[in-house]
Amino acid sequence: MIEGMRMDLKKSRYRSFDELYLYCYYVAGTVGLMSVPVMGISPDSRAATETVYKGALALGLANQLTNILRDVGEDARRGRIYLPQDELEAAGLSEADIFNGRVTDEWRSFMSGQITRARAFFRQAEEGATELNQESRWPVWASLLLYRQILDEIEANDYDNFTKRAYVPKTKKLMALPKAYLRSLMPPSSQTQSQRHYSSLT
């Protein structure tokens, strides 16, 4: 994690998603991994420990990617672009487009693909969240649901993340908390899958 912070002192461009992934792993994925022993795995979980850690890593990556997509304009004003340059080029976009804040069809298509990738990490994160200790699940689910809504707000802003900051209104945040709480009460998905498997055998 400390190495990831140091990267910001010397790196302001990322040639490919592999490079960006490594940065996200350092600054956020590690937080997810370190949190698992604190949160604890449910004694009712039938999932492999690796599955839980992969889910925690995915949540850290998803949250960081969401931060990056939300803060494109703010980062550009600081001379930083946390987006895969090869994917920008493939979409017909340049650094000038970002620094000038041009919301074009090419930009919308590019952003749509980036959001799809972030949502895939959120889906993987769900697999790990269900396996945590019940008392730890609520804040994890709240983080997952609230951060995922930021992606919805970027879309609602017509992908203008240059001049508009995507944020989740307070009413939506409050509505997400009981939903997260209900999700936290559900037994580990690995347990229910194991029970269904057992029932099918008997």
Side-chain angles (χ1 to χ4, degrees), residues 24-200:
C24 293
Y25 168 77
Y26 281 157
V27 300
T30 53
V31 177
L33 296 175
M34 289 188 287
S35 298
V36 173
V38 179
M39 299 286 187
I41 299 174
S42 171
D44 297 326
S45 174
R46 301 290 182 270
T49 303
E50 182 182 5
T51 299
V52 184
Y53 275 93
K54 282 184 176 180
L57 171 60
L59 182 56
L61 295 170
N63 285 350
Q64 186 62 28
L65 288 172
T66 299
N67 283 338
I68 288 170
L69 299 179
R70 179 193 62 195
D71 298 338
V72 169
E74 182 179 332
D75 289 331
R77 287 187 285 276
R78 296 174 177 172
R80 297 179 175 276
I81 299 177
Y82 292 92
L83 297 168
Q85 289 186 304
D86 59 350
E87 295 180 18
L88 283 169
E89 292 168 5
L93 297 164
S94 66
E95 289 191 3
D97 292 320
I98 294 175
F99 289 134
N100 292 323
R102 296 174 183 152
V103 181
T104 61
D105 287 342
E106 290 80 8
W107 177 253
R108 293 184 184 93
S109 178
F110 171 81
M111 280 301 303
S112 178
Q114 301 300 307
I115 288 173
T116 296
R117 174 187 283 150
R119 283 177 172 150
F121 281 111
F122 277 122
R123 286 194 297 273
Q124 185 178 358
E126 291 188 11
E127 297 176 14
T130 63
E131 309 300 329
L132 296 172
N133 274 330
Q134 183 174 329
E135 57 268 27
S136 302
R137 289 179 210 148
W138 190 15
V140 175
W141 274 108
S143 170
L144 196 158
L145 296 178
L146 289 171
Y147 253 79
R148 188 154 52 189
Q149 286 183 6
I150 294 174
L151 300 176
D152 299 335
E153 297 302 320
I154 294 174
E155 291 174 330
N157 287 339
D158 194 29
Y159 303 103
D160 182 3
N161 42 5
F162 299 113
T163 62
K164 298 178 181 178
R165 183 177 174 85
Y167 69 95
V168 181
K170 185 177 292 185
T171 53
K172 287 188 177 181
K173 289 181 179 178
L174 292 175
M175 290 172 62
L177 292 178
K179 182 178 179 181
Y181 181 68
L182 290 174
R183 294 294 295 267
S184 74
L185 296 179
M186 297 174 64
S189 58
S190 61
Q191 181 190 30
T192 55
Q193 289 170 2
S194 178
Q195 289 173 343
R196 285 197 297 269
H197 179 67
Y198 176 79
S199 298
S200 66

